[in-house]
Amino acid sequence: MTVRTRFAPSPTGYLHIGGARTALFSWAYARKHGGTFILRIEDTDVERSTPEAVQAILDGMDWLKLNYDEGPFYQMQRMPRYKEVIQRMLEAGQAYYCYTASDELDAMREAQRARGEKPRYDGRWRPESGKALPPVPADVKPVVRFKNPTEGVVGWKDMVKGHIEFSNTELDDLIIARSDGTPTYNFCVVVDDWDMGITQVIRGDDHVNNTPRQINILKSLGATVPAYAHLSMILGDDGTKLSKRHGAVSVMQYDEDGYLPEAVINYLARLGWSHGDDEVFSVEQFCDWFDLDHITPSAAQFNTEKLNWLNNHYIKQTDNAKLAEMVGKHLAKRGVMVSDTPQLEAVIALYKERTATLVELADEAEVFYIDLHPAQDLLDMHLTAEVLPALHELAERFAEVAWEAPSLGAALKEVLAKHGLKMPKLAMPLRVMLVGQTHTPSVDAVIALFPRETVLARMKKYL
């Protein structure tokens, strides 16, 4: 059997981390087994679905390089097919028209709650042998309900959670078409999975309660029931449900925030799945190793510190020219024009080891290309009367010394020795005057990146 998986987001918002992990696992399972990965856009929620959200999903998939083999398919374009299947079910007695008005449903549920019962449709319009149905009201447009089995259980061996089953008595007759004729979510999913030959449904565990209903509809249609794998939720750093403040943002926000797609993919892969103690691995390795047996059924926890560590690893592994191209785009968005001196690649080569994101790398690089205004409190703290004479002499040396890190470092040491100072006493004020901060790579290497005239001009402003 050829593996066919799908990712089926609703375009009512951005592609977030949870959805991206579901897409990744579905994609990787298909790639591992030489199968087909399908993208399906479930856009039947017309009021909330937007073209912008559709584009955000497509952009996120493209950025993560989760290429799909078929699609994107749009449910709104498949309406004739859904209505055809509903009509067939009505004719076969697998579905029926229900004329219960909304106020009747409300009263029904309220009475059930008062009796301590679970609120559910009571089947008053369900046709049964020997049962007399109420007269059809003239002013109510009917919905279509699926005739769910009333006995036995519906169960499946979940590929993540193990055996799950529901009693059919717990499932009322699901509405599969609204009163305006539009099909409902659970029904569209069933027909799509059937028509597209989906063999494994990998999705979030918020769909567990939908699964028994979908299985019963599939069985009524004589369709093959796919295998199901329900992924547990992702918690935030603090152990609470993931929210915007700790990760539940658009995948494309990670691009804006300076994360590399390789790092995000690597991180997502480890959210609830593992391959021994391996933390860093390529997409190719992941697809080769991936299985559903090693997905934990318990909730995964988002860890921003781990993501930053991974991103730093991938930044360090990335070619400086490629990094310069990406960092240059971040600087351009800020209106910072990058000049030839210093070359951005050279700045990146010096700073890449110490930055977690491209945004941080852009922050470090920016000071080499702007009119810098160091914070006054830093200037006051480090440009003291004790060090000003040494700084004046150092500026004179810098006007003549060979402009390379070894010579600059030697000049620094000579001035330190002459004035009886230790390195931090000169390095700190130099850093503040040149880059506006006190922590940088080796100060002589930082100085060497600047043109001589820039260093002298920045020092002269404060001496």
Side-chain angles (χ1 to χ4, degrees):
M1 179 179 65
T2 302
V3 165
R4 290 176 63 82
T5 66
R6 47 77 159 180
F7 176 53
S10 298
T12 55
Y14 42 70
L15 176 61
H16 55 75
I17 280 294
R21 182 188 64 164
T22 298
L24 172 63
F25 285 8
S26 299
W27 175 84
Y29 192 85
R31 294 292 171 264
K32 168 70 177 285
H33 295 281
T36 300
F37 175 62
I38 297 163
L39 177 62
R40 189 169 78 214
I41 306 295
E42 298 186 339
D43 56 350
T44 55
D45 188 344
V46 178
E47 290 185 2
R48 297 174 60 219
S49 298
T50 66
E52 293 77 17
V54 171
Q55 192 59 51
I57 291 167
L58 298 178
D59 290 345
M61 297 287 285
D62 182 59
W63 184 66
L64 293 171
K65 299 180 177 65
L66 298 179
N67 54 309
Y68 37 91
D69 305 299
E70 295 179 13
F73 297 107
Y74 297 88
Q75 286 185 330
M76 287 302 293
Q77 297 174 5
R78 288 174 46 77
M79 285 294 153
R81 171 59 176 159
Y82 304 138
K83 293 179 180 179
E84 171 197 326
V85 177
I86 288 172
Q87 186 59 40
R88 187 197 311 175
M89 293 176 72
L90 285 166
E91 293 170 359
Q94 298 162 331
Y96 60 93
Y97 289 112
C98 172
Y99 294 86
T100 309
S102 58
D103 56 345
E104 286 184 84
L105 282 171
D106 291 340
M108 180 193 307
R109 290 168 181 149
E110 191 59 40
Q112 288 166 338
R113 289 190 191 95
R115 296 192 298 269
E117 300 171 2
K118 179 182 177 180
R120 61 201 303 274
Y121 174 65
D122 64 6
R124 63 184 59 181
W125 284 95
R126 179 184 173 116
E128 302 284 4
S129 177
K131 176 182 176 181
L133 296 177
V136 175
D139 58 343
V140 176
K141 288 184 178 181
V143 298
V144 177
R145 290 184 181 271
F146 169 60
K147 198 174 182 183
N148 194 76
T150 55
E151 298 178 346
V153 298
V154 52
W156 70 97
K157 183 180 179 181
D158 197 276
M159 299 172 76
V160 171
K161 296 181 175 295
H163 183 73
I164 301 175
E165 67 176 36
F166 289 76
S167 170
N168 278 318
T169 58
E170 292 294 309
L171 308 173
D172 57 4
D173 290 351
L174 179 72
I175 295 175
I176 59 174
R178 303 177 185 88
S179 58
D180 63 1
T182 58
T184 58
Y185 164 78
N186 273 300
F187 181 74
C188 294
V189 168
V190 164
V191 177
D192 290 342
D193 286 346
W194 179 29
D195 286 355
M196 296 174 190
I198 302 302
T199 56
Q200 284 80 21
V201 173
I202 301 170
R203 59 188 180 186
D205 65 1
D206 53 326
H207 289 283
V208 165
N209 289 334
N210 293 328
T211 303
R213 300 178 181 278
Q214 294 174 9
I215 290 175
N216 280 341
I217 298 173
L218 283 164
K219 287 181 175 178
S220 77
L221 294 171
T224 301
V225 177
Y228 292 91
H230 289 94
L231 311 175
S232 295
M233 71 168 63
I234 302 172
L235 302 177
D237 296 81
D238 55 4
T240 61
K241 185 177 179 181
L242 199 64
S243 65
K244 287 184 179 179
R245 65 188 174 85
H246 47 26
V249 297
S250 167
V251 163
M252 296 311 295
Q253 185 63 47
Y254 288 90
D255 182 28
E256 290 288 322
D257 291 345
Y259 290 92
L260 299 178
E262 299 89 343
V264 175
I265 284 286
N266 193 156
Y267 182 72
L268 287 176
R270 290 286 284 111
L271 272 181
W273 174 87
S274 63
H275 182 267
D277 295 327
D278 292 292
E279 293 284 354
V280 180
F281 40 80
S282 67
V283 173
E284 292 75 20
Q285 285 175 310
F286 175 55
C287 290
D288 185 48
W289 294 339
F290 184 69
D291 57 26
L292 296 170
D293 297 334
H294 290 87
I295 294 177
T296 175
S298 56
Q301 189 159 350
F302 196 90
N303 186 320
T304 303
E305 186 178 328
K306 176 65 71 67
L307 174 59
N308 288 343
W309 175 82
L310 268 174
N311 204 55
N312 171 253
H313 168 82
Y314 281 97
I315 284 175
K316 289 188 290 188
Q317 300 300 312
T318 302
D319 177 75
N320 291 335
K322 185 176 180 182
L323 284 175
E325 182 181 346
M326 292 186 285
V327 170
K329 290 177 181 177
H330 281 276
L331 292 172
K333 286 180 182 178
R334 306 177 186 186
V336 175
M337 300 298 294
V338 176
S339 62
D340 293 333
T341 50
Q343 287 192 331
L344 185 53
E345 281 187 47
V347 177
I348 283 167
L350 185 60
Y351 279 89
K352 65 190 285 188
E353 295 277 335
R354 53 194 292 130
T355 53
T357 69
L358 297 179
V359 168
E360 289 182 10
L361 200 45
D363 291 341
E364 301 287 8
E366 178 179 311
V367 298
F368 290 87
Y369 305 103
I370 61 173
D371 183 15
L372 186 71
H373 299 283
Q376 190 60 48
D377 60 338
L378 285 178
L379 292 168
D380 293 341
M381 182 184 303
H382 295 288
L383 271 72
T384 63
E386 179 187 11
V387 299
L388 283 175
L391 287 171
H392 278 286
E393 183 169 341
L394 193 61
E396 293 174 5
R397 294 283 191 99
F398 282 173
E400 301 173 351
V401 71
W403 203 252
E404 55 189 16
S407 300
L408 293 166
L412 264 168
K413 290 173 182 174
E414 289 169 9
V415 172
L416 286 169
K418 180 176 177 181
H419 291 264
L421 299 172
K422 294 189 179 297
M423 180 62 81
K425 284 290 187 178
L426 273 187
M428 288 299 191
L430 275 172
R431 288 182 171 113
V432 171
M433 288 187 289
L434 296 179
V435 298
Q437 55 185 295
T438 56
H439 298 287
T440 71
S442 176
V443 68
D444 52 357
V446 172
I447 297 168
L449 285 174
F450 285 100
R452 186 195 305 267
E453 56 272 21
T454 302
V455 170
L456 296 177
R458 291 191 178 190
M459 292 180 71
K460 184 178 179 182
K461 284 173 66 175
Y462 306 104
L463 297 180

